[in-house]
Amino acid sequence: MKIETLLLSCMIATNIISETMQPMQAKVKSAQTILLIDDEPDILDFLQYNLEKEGYKVYTAKNGLEGVEMVQKVRPSLVLIDVMMPVMDGIEACYTIRNDSSIQQPIIAFLTSRAEDYSQVAGFEAGADDYIAKPIRPRLLVSKVESLLRRLRGDVQTEKNLAVSGISVNREKFIVEKKDEQIQLPKKEFELLELLLSRPGKVFTRDEILNLVWGNEAIVGERTIDVHVRKLREKLGDDYIRTIKGVGYTFVDSEK
């Protein structure tokens, strides 16, 4: 049995135990469909359990070919797919889905333990939108899924631009403006600001920020977030990003 499968089995057991210790609160999500494609039953069970608990409608497939067929049948909003699978691997399945003009294209993210650069490059070239490393903790899984689905729902104002409290972000041109003054930001500072600006007033935990901004790129610590927030405050001013002690950060919408 794979090490990742053993880890996920333990995480499933931990979730079930914790659920019995406190009442479950039903969480209502918009009726969005997620398709999970993986050849490991324990991984499918873990993902399906945690996503259905959040209110998502979840379908599963055990290989790439079955996954492609399921995409045509259920028309999912999001596809989480493994790379290495029998019959048809994830790269080929992603490519096939992206070249199917008869369906509305879903968000596709590879959920895999393979972090090699060549694997990620192949996935993005096939049309993937993102990569998620497994095993992944339930809270981070849900945060990542919500982030991916926001792209499809349009929760983040528009696809190209964000504008809150005099700060605007142009995603296509990679430009930040403060009251018509352009501000140059390095990539990670831009992505951090974009995340905070996408949900004004929402408190993003440190775990969420690490996962959604840095993802699988490197092993970074909480101090990394603090440094990037400090640099953003130096460039934007101290009134926009608020620290919630012991939790994380939020973008302050002064217009509300």
PDB file of all heavy atoms in Angstrom, residues 34-37 44-45 48 58-62 66 70:
ATOM      1  N   ILE A  34     -18.339  18.269  -8.480  1.00  0.00           N
ATOM      2  CA  ILE A  34     -16.906  17.992  -8.533  1.00  0.00           C
ATOM      3  C   ILE A  34     -16.703  16.548  -8.949  1.00  0.00           C
ATOM      4  O   ILE A  34     -17.367  15.641  -8.439  1.00  0.00           O
ATOM      5  CB  ILE A  34     -16.253  18.232  -7.159  1.00  0.00           C
ATOM      6  CG1 ILE A  34     -16.433  19.688  -6.729  1.00  0.00           C
ATOM      7  CG2 ILE A  34     -14.765  17.869  -7.190  1.00  0.00           C
ATOM      8  CD1 ILE A  34     -15.949  19.984  -5.318  1.00  0.00           C
ATOM      9  N   LEU A  35     -15.790  16.329  -9.873  1.00  0.00           N
ATOM     10  CA  LEU A  35     -15.430  14.979 -10.303  1.00  0.00           C
ATOM     11  C   LEU A  35     -14.032  14.652  -9.806  1.00  0.00           C
ATOM     12  O   LEU A  35     -13.088  15.414 -10.043  1.00  0.00           O
ATOM     13  CB  LEU A  35     -15.477  14.870 -11.831  1.00  0.00           C
ATOM     14  CG  LEU A  35     -14.976  13.551 -12.430  1.00  0.00           C
ATOM     15  CD1 LEU A  35     -15.826  12.374 -11.956  1.00  0.00           C
ATOM     16  CD2 LEU A  35     -14.963  13.620 -13.952  1.00  0.00           C
ATOM     17  N   LEU A  36     -13.890  13.532  -9.095  1.00  0.00           N
ATOM     18  CA  LEU A  36     -12.606  13.060  -8.594  1.00  0.00           C
ATOM     19  C   LEU A  36     -12.150  11.879  -9.437  1.00  0.00           C
ATOM     20  O   LEU A  36     -12.911  10.910  -9.608  1.00  0.00           O
ATOM     21  CB  LEU A  36     -12.734  12.625  -7.132  1.00  0.00           C
ATOM     22  CG  LEU A  36     -13.417  13.606  -6.176  1.00  0.00           C
ATOM     23  CD1 LEU A  36     -13.605  12.955  -4.811  1.00  0.00           C
ATOM     24  CD2 LEU A  36     -12.599  14.890  -6.063  1.00  0.00           C
ATOM     25  N   ILE A  37     -10.921  11.946  -9.946  1.00  0.00           N
ATOM     26  CA  ILE A  37     -10.393  10.861 -10.775  1.00  0.00           C
ATOM     27  C   ILE A  37      -9.096  10.371 -10.157  1.00  0.00           C
ATOM     28  O   ILE A  37      -8.090  11.086 -10.148  1.00  0.00           O
ATOM     29  CB  ILE A  37     -10.151  11.324 -12.231  1.00  0.00           C
ATOM     30  CG1 ILE A  37     -11.393  12.028 -12.797  1.00  0.00           C
ATOM     31  CG2 ILE A  37      -9.757  10.141 -13.109  1.00  0.00           C
ATOM     32  CD1 ILE A  37     -11.187  12.630 -14.178  1.00  0.00           C
ATOM     33  N   LEU A  44      -9.980   8.393  -2.987  1.00  0.00           N
ATOM     34  CA  LEU A  44     -11.303   8.818  -3.449  1.00  0.00           C
ATOM     35  C   LEU A  44     -12.272   8.951  -2.280  1.00  0.00           C
ATOM     36  O   LEU A  44     -13.041   9.915  -2.201  1.00  0.00           O
ATOM     37  CB  LEU A  44     -11.846   7.817  -4.473  1.00  0.00           C
ATOM     38  CG  LEU A  44     -11.214   7.827  -5.865  1.00  0.00           C
ATOM     39  CD1 LEU A  44     -11.835   6.741  -6.728  1.00  0.00           C
ATOM     40  CD2 LEU A  44     -11.364   9.183  -6.540  1.00  0.00           C
ATOM     41  N   ASP A  45     -12.243   7.976  -1.361  1.00  0.00           N
ATOM     42  CA  ASP A  45     -13.136   8.018  -0.205  1.00  0.00           C
ATOM     43  C   ASP A  45     -12.860   9.245   0.661  1.00  0.00           C
ATOM     44  O   ASP A  45     -13.789   9.922   1.124  1.00  0.00           O
ATOM     45  CB  ASP A  45     -12.970   6.753   0.643  1.00  0.00           C
ATOM     46  CG  ASP A  45     -13.542   5.516  -0.032  1.00  0.00           C
ATOM     47  OD1 ASP A  45     -14.311   5.672  -1.006  1.00  0.00           O
ATOM     48  OD2 ASP A  45     -13.202   4.401   0.402  1.00  0.00           O
ATOM     49  N   GLN A  48     -13.970  12.444  -1.313  1.00  0.00           N
ATOM     50  CA  GLN A  48     -15.423  12.489  -1.444  1.00  0.00           C
ATOM     51  C   GLN A  48     -16.084  12.809  -0.107  1.00  0.00           C
ATOM     52  O   GLN A  48     -17.005  13.639  -0.038  1.00  0.00           O
ATOM     53  CB  GLN A  48     -15.940  11.163  -1.987  1.00  0.00           C
ATOM     54  CG  GLN A  48     -17.442  11.170  -2.273  1.00  0.00           C
ATOM     55  CD  GLN A  48     -17.889   9.917  -3.010  1.00  0.00           C
ATOM     56  OE1 GLN A  48     -17.171   8.920  -3.076  1.00  0.00           O
ATOM     57  NE2 GLN A  48     -19.086   9.959  -3.571  1.00  0.00           N
ATOM     58  N   VAL A  58     -20.535  15.226  -5.511  1.00  0.00           N
ATOM     59  CA  VAL A  58     -19.250  14.632  -5.898  1.00  0.00           C
ATOM     60  C   VAL A  58     -19.452  13.319  -6.648  1.00  0.00           C
ATOM     61  O   VAL A  58     -20.219  12.445  -6.207  1.00  0.00           O
ATOM     62  CB  VAL A  58     -18.371  14.377  -4.655  1.00  0.00           C
ATOM     63  CG1 VAL A  58     -17.035  13.793  -5.072  1.00  0.00           C
ATOM     64  CG2 VAL A  58     -18.169  15.675  -3.870  1.00  0.00           C
ATOM     65  N   TYR A  59     -18.759  13.200  -7.779  1.00  0.00           N
ATOM     66  CA  TYR A  59     -18.705  11.955  -8.537  1.00  0.00           C
ATOM     67  C   TYR A  59     -17.262  11.461  -8.549  1.00  0.00           C
ATOM     68  O   TYR A  59     -16.326  12.247  -8.380  1.00  0.00           O
ATOM     69  CB  TYR A  59     -19.192  12.154  -9.975  1.00  0.00           C
ATOM     70  CG  TYR A  59     -20.657  12.500 -10.099  1.00  0.00           C
ATOM     71  CD1 TYR A  59     -21.087  13.825 -10.037  1.00  0.00           C
ATOM     72  CD2 TYR A  59     -21.614  11.501 -10.281  1.00  0.00           C
ATOM     73  CE1 TYR A  59     -22.436  14.140 -10.149  1.00  0.00           C
ATOM     74  CE2 TYR A  59     -22.970  11.809 -10.398  1.00  0.00           C
ATOM     75  CZ  TYR A  59     -23.373  13.141 -10.334  1.00  0.00           C
ATOM     76  OH  TYR A  59     -24.695  13.451 -10.446  1.00  0.00           O
ATOM     77  N   THR A  60     -17.085  10.165  -8.786  1.00  0.00           N
ATOM     78  CA  THR A  60     -15.733   9.597  -8.806  1.00  0.00           C
ATOM     79  C   THR A  60     -15.525   8.732 -10.043  1.00  0.00           C
ATOM     80  O   THR A  60     -16.479   8.182 -10.615  1.00  0.00           O
ATOM     81  CB  THR A  60     -15.462   8.742  -7.553  1.00  0.00           C
ATOM     82  OG1 THR A  60     -16.354   7.618  -7.530  1.00  0.00           O
ATOM     83  CG2 THR A  60     -15.648   9.561  -6.283  1.00  0.00           C
ATOM     84  N   ALA A  61     -14.249   8.613 -10.424  1.00  0.00           N
ATOM     85  CA  ALA A  61     -13.838   7.724 -11.514  1.00  0.00           C
ATOM     86  C   ALA A  61     -12.484   7.148 -11.141  1.00  0.00           C
ATOM     87  O   ALA A  61     -11.671   7.811 -10.503  1.00  0.00           O
ATOM     88  CB  ALA A  61     -13.766   8.481 -12.834  1.00  0.00           C
ATOM     89  N   LYS A  62     -12.226   5.902 -11.554  1.00  0.00           N
ATOM     90  CA  LYS A  62     -11.014   5.213 -11.100  1.00  0.00           C
ATOM     91  C   LYS A  62      -9.879   5.216 -12.115  1.00  0.00           C
ATOM     92  O   LYS A  62      -8.808   4.681 -11.842  1.00  0.00           O
ATOM     93  CB  LYS A  62     -11.345   3.775 -10.702  1.00  0.00           C
ATOM     94  CG  LYS A  62     -11.906   2.907 -11.809  1.00  0.00           C
ATOM     95  CD  LYS A  62     -12.214   1.510 -11.271  1.00  0.00           C
ATOM     96  CE  LYS A  62     -12.803   0.600 -12.332  1.00  0.00           C
ATOM     97  NZ  LYS A  62     -14.129   1.063 -12.791  1.00  0.00           N
ATOM     98  N   GLU A  66     -12.337   6.495 -17.773  1.00  0.00           N
ATOM     99  CA  GLU A  66     -13.631   6.584 -17.089  1.00  0.00           C
ATOM    100  C   GLU A  66     -13.922   8.031 -16.704  1.00  0.00           C
ATOM    101  O   GLU A  66     -15.064   8.488 -16.762  1.00  0.00           O
ATOM    102  CB  GLU A  66     -13.608   5.696 -15.843  1.00  0.00           C
ATOM    103  CG  GLU A  66     -14.934   5.592 -15.116  1.00  0.00           C
ATOM    104  CD  GLU A  66     -14.857   4.659 -13.927  1.00  0.00           C
ATOM    105  OE1 GLU A  66     -14.344   3.537 -14.089  1.00  0.00           O
ATOM    106  OE2 GLU A  66     -15.306   5.063 -12.822  1.00  0.00           O
ATOM    107  N   MET A  70     -17.093  10.399 -17.652  1.00  0.00           N
ATOM    108  CA  MET A  70     -17.900  11.028 -16.608  1.00  0.00           C
ATOM    109  C   MET A  70     -18.039  12.529 -16.825  1.00  0.00           C
ATOM    110  O   MET A  70     -19.082  13.122 -16.542  1.00  0.00           O
ATOM    111  CB  MET A  70     -17.282  10.751 -15.241  1.00  0.00           C
ATOM    112  CG  MET A  70     -17.457   9.323 -14.752  1.00  0.00           C
ATOM    113  SD  MET A  70     -19.194   8.923 -14.399  1.00  0.00           S
ATOM    114  CE  MET A  70     -19.478   9.952 -12.955  1.00  0.00           C
TER     115      MET A  70
END
